[in-house]
């Protein structure tokens, strides 16, 4: 039993490095520790126990049980019996105990106790590690929160280390990125983010250096193409929390907790709603302005000027001038380069497969794209493609729609975009057809009397 007796401070006086080491270990523990011999006498009491209860080791060591000092008389025997029961039970025993501070206040602690056996294998006493219940609950909540976040949280959670590489990835994040949870670990973010990785890494670097931003931010990224699928453009509503070690004197950044939700559909829907409101506003303004012109060509030019805003870079109106012949009526914006388009009533030199003639034949809309038709990504291919169709050299996307009025086609309206804009989609075609209906009405208006 001699090796089991003596306080932490008594141990410090034992000659040799072993006693110094034992004292340092006991007093350096984050948890309070006390030990009792087989008779229930306190043999060890460390600094954390002193901090929680206020009783110094000099007053605690050597007392039998807790009656009259660390527990109320009504509770003392039961408290001692519960702790000493660990000598006869294998494993650790967990209890919640109501103890007394030296100042008379009560404190609820959670203890873990286990039996100690001597060299002969017989029970020699128990040791008990304890902490205040609220501190233990805080720890358990933190652990439970971490497990919940990395289990089935409704948002993505990625722990990024100080080298900007994923260290932990939850299931939601892995699904959003389109890969496995372990596949991302230790890999550069650029392996999975084709575009937008600079913005993401910049945000992470800022958080590591300065702390988290004041509010969540939208990050638009393009995910790298996976086998059998193309690149995906996504918007992630992201929040960042810097992680620092609580075990160092100076905060040492461990990394960043990155939490995000995929809000792509909501942002695209909002963008589409804004675009639709703007376009119909433009149509209203165009109609009001065009109504002030008696000359149909001037009215059409005004309609085109309004329609081009935020929609296309060039607008062309070709009027029917006989069997499969079109003449240029209006080009917008006024004064812009018009390739070799012919004015003055001369027929346009469109080939038989020209999209404008296709739209005329179909009495509908035709969308074409330089890359898709030219079969290459080079600027020379796109320029040649535009020149063959007698459009401005910087044209990359075109939308032609028939001008229908009083049951017949009176011309073709063409909208052109440069490569700086995306290709025309179905919603763009619906808008173009609405503009075309107004242009056709103005173009086919009877002359004023």
């Amino acid at each position: 039993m001699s090796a089991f007796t003596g306080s932490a401070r008594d141990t410090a006086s034992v000659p040799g490095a072993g006693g110094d080491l034992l004292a340092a270990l006991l007093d350096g523990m984050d948890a309070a520790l006390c030990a009792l011999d087989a008779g229930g006498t306190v043999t060890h009491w460390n600094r954390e126990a002193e901090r929680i209860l206020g009783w110094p080791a000099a007053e605690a060591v050597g007392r039998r049980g807790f009656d009259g000092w660390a527990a109320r008389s009504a509770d003392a025997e039961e408290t001692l019996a519960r702790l000493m029961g660990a000598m006869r039970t294998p494993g650790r025993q967990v209890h919640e105990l109501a103890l007394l501070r030296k100042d008379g206040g009560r404190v609820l602690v959670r203890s873990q106790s286990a039996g100690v056996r001597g060299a002969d294998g017989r029970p020699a006493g128990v040791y008990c590690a304890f902490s205040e219940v609220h501190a233990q609950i805080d720890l358990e909540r933190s652990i439970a929160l971490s497990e919940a976040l990395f289990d089935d949280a409704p948002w993505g959670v990625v722990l990024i280390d100080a080298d900007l590489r994923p260290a932990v990835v939850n299931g939601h994040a892995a699904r959003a990125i389109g890969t496995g949870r372990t596949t991302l670990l230790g890999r550069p973010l650029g392996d999975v983010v084709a575009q937008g990785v600079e913005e993401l890494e910049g945000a992470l670097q800022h958080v590591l250096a300065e702390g988290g931003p004041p509010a969540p931010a939208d990050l638009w990224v393009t995910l790298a193409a996976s086998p059998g699928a193309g690149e995906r453009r996504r918007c992630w509503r992201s929040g960042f929390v810097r992680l620092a070690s609580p075990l160092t004197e100076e905060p040492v950044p461990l990394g960043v907790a990155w939490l995000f939700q995929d809000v792509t559909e909501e942002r695209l829907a909002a963008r589409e709603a804004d675009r639709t409101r703007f376009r119909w506003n433009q149509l209203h303004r165009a109609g009001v302005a065009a109504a002030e012109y008696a000359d149909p060509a001037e009215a059409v030019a005004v309609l085109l000027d309004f329609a081009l805003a935020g929609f296309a870079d060039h607008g062309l109106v070709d009027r029917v001038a006989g069997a499969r012949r079109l003449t240029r009526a209006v080009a917008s914006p006024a004064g812009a380069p018009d390739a070799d388009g012919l004015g003055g009533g001369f027929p346009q030199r469109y080939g038989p497969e020209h999209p404008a003639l296709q739209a005329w034949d179909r009495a509908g809309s035709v969308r074409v794209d330089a890359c898709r038709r030219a079969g290459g990504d080079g600027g020379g291919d796109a320029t040649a493609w535009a020149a063959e169709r007698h459009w401005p050299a910087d044209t990359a996307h075109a939308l032609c729609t028939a001008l229908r009025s009083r049951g017949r086609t009176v011309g073709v309206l063409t909208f052109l975009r440069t490569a700086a804009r995306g290709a025309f989609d179905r919603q763009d075609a619906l808008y173009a057809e609405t503009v075309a209906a107004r242009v056709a009405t103005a173009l086919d208006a009877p002359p004023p009397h």
Side-chain angles (χ1 to χ4, degrees):
M1 283 294 292
S2 60
F4 191 70
T5 59
S7 71
R9 295 176 187 176
D10 292 338
T11 308
S13 64
V14 176
D20 293 339
L21 177 60
L22 178 58
L25 289 173
L26 292 175
D27 280 340
M29 292 178 63
D30 291 330
L33 177 72
C34 72
L36 300 94
D37 63 17
T41 299
V42 177
T43 62
H44 292 76
W45 191 266
N46 72 351
R47 293 185 185 274
E48 185 64 12
E50 178 179 340
R51 186 194 67 79
I52 292 176
L53 296 178
W55 294 96
E59 298 183 39
V61 173
R63 292 179 181 263
R64 184 188 179 282
F66 303 102
D67 190 11
W69 62 292
R72 294 191 312 172
S73 297
D75 302 329
E77 288 303 318
E78 180 185 358
T79 299
L80 181 62
R82 291 169 71 180
L83 292 179
M84 300 307 293
M87 284 198 306
R88 300 180 297 275
T89 307
R92 292 180 298 172
Q93 303 297 306
V94 178
H95 304 287
E96 288 189 358
L97 308 172
L99 300 180
L100 286 179
R101 291 192 179 96
K102 188 174 183 180
D103 61 10
R106 298 187 72 191
V107 58
L108 186 64
V109 302
R110 181 169 295 176
S111 69
Q112 295 188 49
S113 55
V116 176
R117 295 187 177 274
D120 58 1
R122 295 180 179 179
V126 297
Y127 76 84
C128 171
F130 63 92
S131 60
E132 295 178 81
V133 165
H134 69 81
Q136 183 71 18
I137 290 176
D138 287 345
L139 174 62
E140 292 178 1
R141 283 175 179 156
S142 297
I143 296 173
L145 174 61
S146 298
E147 292 180 347
L149 288 176
F150 289 102
D151 190 9
D152 292 320
W155 50 79
V157 182
V158 181
L159 295 191
I160 305 292
D161 65 21
D163 297 320
L164 304 185
R165 296 173 186 251
V168 184
V169 180
N170 78 342
H172 188 102
R175 290 189 295 272
I177 297 171
T179 186
R181 292 182 63 175
T182 58
T183 306
L184 292 173
L185 303 185
R187 294 174 55 187
L189 293 170
D191 286 358
V192 293
V193 179
Q195 296 178 17
V197 67
E198 296 88 355
E199 291 78 3
L200 176 55
E201 289 183 341
L204 295 170
Q205 291 165 357
H206 172 82
V207 173
L208 281 171
E210 304 291 339
D218 285 353
L219 289 176
W220 281 93
V221 299
T222 300
L223 300 178
S226 56
E231 292 184 341
R232 294 183 296 142
R233 181 78 168 159
R234 311 305 297 169
C235 181
W236 290 334
R237 186 70 170 164
S238 301
F240 303 91
V241 179
R242 180 169 60 177
L243 304 177
S245 173
L247 303 180
T248 57
E249 294 182 5
E250 294 294 331
V252 176
L254 297 177
V256 179
W258 170 32
L259 296 85
F260 68 90
Q261 282 187 312
D262 192 322
V263 294
T264 308
E265 301 305 323
E266 294 90 329
R267 296 298 180 267
L268 291 179
R271 181 182 296 178
E272 181 62 28
D274 291 340
R275 184 172 67 173
T276 299
R277 281 194 297 269
F278 174 78
R279 287 180 177 179
W280 293 110
N281 244 352
Q282 287 296 99
L283 280 182
H284 171 72
R285 295 175 61 206
V288 171
E292 299 301 319
Y293 291 88
D295 184 351
E298 292 181 345
V300 168
V302 169
L303 285 169
L304 271 188
D305 285 342
F306 277 96
L308 285 179
F311 181 69
D313 299 291
H314 300 278
L316 308 174
V317 174
D318 295 326
R319 190 166 192 167
V320 170
R324 295 187 67 77
R325 289 195 307 166
L326 295 170
T327 59
R328 180 62 40 81
V330 176
S332 183
D338 190 23
D340 57 352
L342 299 176
F346 292 100
Q348 298 298 310
R349 293 177 295 155
Y350 292 158
E353 299 300 320
H354 194 282
L357 296 178
Q358 293 180 27
W360 182 1
D361 292 340
R362 298 178 187 179
S365 297
V366 173
R367 288 176 279 155
V368 291
D369 166 62
C371 295
R372 191 177 303 156
R373 291 299 183 89
D377 296 327
D381 290 336
T383 301
W385 176 85
E388 289 173 3
R389 289 152 183 80
H390 308 287
W391 289 331
D394 58 355
T395 299
H397 314 286
L399 169 58
C400 300
T401 185
L403 298 173
R404 300 283 295 173
S405 176
R406 293 186 286 184
R408 69 193 196 285
T409 298
V410 298
V412 177
L413 169 62
T414 300
F415 287 110
L416 305 175
R417 288 177 175 173
T418 65
R421 299 180 187 269
F424 292 98
D425 58 24
R426 181 57 189 153
Q427 292 300 316
D428 293 330
L430 292 176
Y431 176 68
E433 289 166 4
T434 304
V435 175
R438 300 195 178 200
V439 169
T441 300
L443 197 65
D444 197 36
H449 296 295

